[in-house]
Amino acid sequence: MRAHIAVLPGDGIGVEVTAWGARVLQHVADAYGHTFRVSEGSIGGNAIDASGSPLPDASLALCKQADAILVGAVGGPKWDVGPPEARPEYGLLRLRKELRLYANLRPVKAIDALVESSPLRREIVEGTDLLVLRELTGGLYFGRPRGRSANKRGIRVKDTLTYTSGEMERIIRLGFDLARQRRKQLASVDKANVLASSGLWREIAEQVAEDYPDVTVEHILVDACAMHLINDPRRFDVLVTENMFGDILSDEASVLAGSLGMLPSASLGRGRRGLYEPVHGTAPDIVGQDKANPLAAILSVAMLLRHSLGLEQEAAAVESAVEDVLAAGLRTPDLARGASGERAVGTEAMGEAVLERIG
């Protein structure tokens, strides 16, 4: 296979871990006889410093030409000023919007070797294997009007939650499709007892369910879902929900995997082109110290191979390599618990260990 991959390293440790993602891509290409052309662009705070924009036109054009995009985390205290449109995160939001990537997939799996790394008890976490499917281009994060105003009574702020029935149906239908490929269980998460938008969401979920008689569906309020994710995560297979709820729940679910440093994600649209990124942030406090966990970026590469390039064998090989290094006891600082058999390693050593086990 020949493929063109765009890599946007981002900020902070995003630069460090996406470098390992790119190395894994090249290693897979060499091991399996593919040709991957990797081109680098900029996004986020570093892009602001270089060009004044969190998403330069050249980076956007590069991504539109690529078969898939690997992105690092963006942001940091240095750029936490000014209006939202001038901050690093806007670059990522705009990129998703421009590429029409409406679905965010965040798999959360309790790997056997890391069960003790979770703050939750083994009997709760063990066996967890779920997928959070989040709508990505609507809701509070994109609604208009928004902003703030002031008068003699004080400051007034406004955010608008807007969805169309079509936006809801396409993400809910994708949730059913993904559940059909897994264990055929779908949890549709809303706040239908309070929000008009959630009322419509539930109506559409019930309508779509009629087309999937083989999938068991439950409707669950977001607050109840947050509770069950912590006390009974094995009850879930696929969770589908709107933008803000999915953002919060998927980060909460990170404790099940032991660390945010273990969670990959994929943002997909109607075609095969997707955007792949680790869920964690830029961690400016550990930049340049060889402490960042590269595994979420590497697992994001596995999702890239699977969803955008259709290379299932290669994707599985990358995931197996990650599980192998963890089973061997290697731990970056975010995963270390001081248990017997653990061996503390840095970013470089962890990345090299994964490469050695691929192919």
Side-chain angles (χ1 to χ4, degrees):
M1 168 174 283
R2 294 180 179 272
H4 180 201
I5 314 298
V7 177
L8 279 57
D11 307 315
I13 64 168
V15 177
E16 301 172 25
V17 300
T18 52
W20 278 103
R23 287 190 63 179
V24 167
L25 275 170
Q26 188 56 58
H27 191 83
V28 168
D30 294 342
Y32 289 88
H34 305 305
T35 300
F36 297 155
R37 179 164 63 92
V38 176
S39 303
E40 187 169 307
S42 62
I43 192 172
N46 286 327
I48 292 173
D49 290 347
S51 68
S53 169
L55 182 64
D57 290 342
S59 293
L60 178 58
L62 171 64
C63 292
K64 287 184 174 181
Q65 296 166 1
D67 297 300
I69 304 105
L70 177 65
V71 181
V74 300
K78 177 181 179 180
W79 303 285
D80 284 346
V81 293
E85 292 77 8
R87 296 190 181 191
E89 294 78 8
Y90 181 76
L92 188 56
L93 294 176
R94 183 186 169 207
L95 182 58
R96 292 168 176 166
K97 196 79 170 179
E98 290 279 353
L99 298 180
R100 300 181 180 179
L101 306 176
Y102 67 87
N104 184 244
L105 285 66
R106 294 190 177 184
V108 180
K109 183 177 181 181
I111 296 174
D112 290 344
L114 291 183
V115 168
E116 301 300 340
S117 295
S118 172
L120 301 179
R121 298 193 308 272
R122 170 179 284 274
E123 58 266 31
I124 292 177
V125 176
E126 194 170 32
T128 297
D129 182 4
L130 60 87
L131 174 67
V132 180
L133 177 62
R134 166 191 171 194
E135 201 289 323
L136 205 56
T137 59
L140 278 173
Y141 294 175
F142 291 97
R144 294 290 187 271
R146 65 187 300 176
R148 56 188 287 167
S149 58
N151 57 35
K152 61 182 181 181
R153 295 183 179 180
I155 297 173
R156 180 183 179 87
V157 295
K158 177 183 291 186
D159 290 293
T160 303
L161 198 167
T162 302
Y163 271 114
T164 66
S165 58
E167 289 173 322
M168 292 181 178
E169 181 177 350
R170 69 183 179 182
I171 191 71
I172 292 170
R173 190 169 293 279
L174 178 58
F176 276 96
D177 288 336
L178 292 169
R180 181 173 271 176
Q181 297 168 22
R182 291 169 53 95
R183 302 193 303 274
K184 299 185 178 181
Q185 299 174 29
L186 181 74
S188 176
V189 184
D190 59 42
K191 191 64 176 172
N193 59 336
V194 175
L195 300 177
S197 58
S198 282
L200 178 59
W201 178 282
R202 185 169 293 200
E203 289 176 25
I204 293 173
E206 291 173 346
Q207 293 168 7
V208 174
E210 296 177 1
D211 297 332
Y212 296 83
D214 55 325
V215 176
T216 300
V217 60
E218 68 168 322
H219 303 283
I220 184 169
L221 298 177
V222 62
D223 41 355
C225 182
M227 177 186 67
H228 291 307
L229 267 177
I230 297 303
N231 65 23
D232 188 16
R234 286 175 294 191
R235 67 177 281 177
F236 294 118
D237 180 17
V238 176
L239 296 90
V240 61
T241 191
E242 59 96 61
N243 204 339
M244 186 175 71
F245 294 165
D247 192 4
I248 295 168
L249 292 175
S250 58
D251 277 6
E252 180 195 14
S254 69
V255 302
L256 305 172
S259 169
L260 271 175
M262 291 301 303
L263 293 188
S265 75
S267 298
L268 307 176
R270 292 192 180 279
R272 298 205 70 167
R273 182 194 294 119
L275 185 152
Y276 302 86
E277 56 182 318
V279 172
H280 62 71
T282 58
D285 56 319
I286 62 170
V287 170
Q289 300 177 39
D290 194 37
K291 292 182 177 180
N293 184 349
L295 296 183
I298 291 171
L299 289 170
S300 295
V301 166
M303 296 187 76
L304 182 157
L305 294 167
R306 175 175 291 117
H307 293 288
S308 282
L309 305 186
L311 299 175
E312 176 59 36
Q313 181 182 359
E314 290 84 339
V318 173
E319 292 165 343
S320 294
V322 169
E323 294 196 19
D324 286 349
V325 299
L326 294 171
L330 276 65
R331 301 287 186 272
T332 46
D334 59 308
L335 299 173
R337 294 294 181 270
S340 174
E342 287 187 358
R343 180 158 66 92
V345 298
T347 311
E348 298 292 309
M350 182 65 87
E352 290 286 2
V354 173
L355 287 183
E356 291 172 3
R357 290 165 170 80
I358 295 176

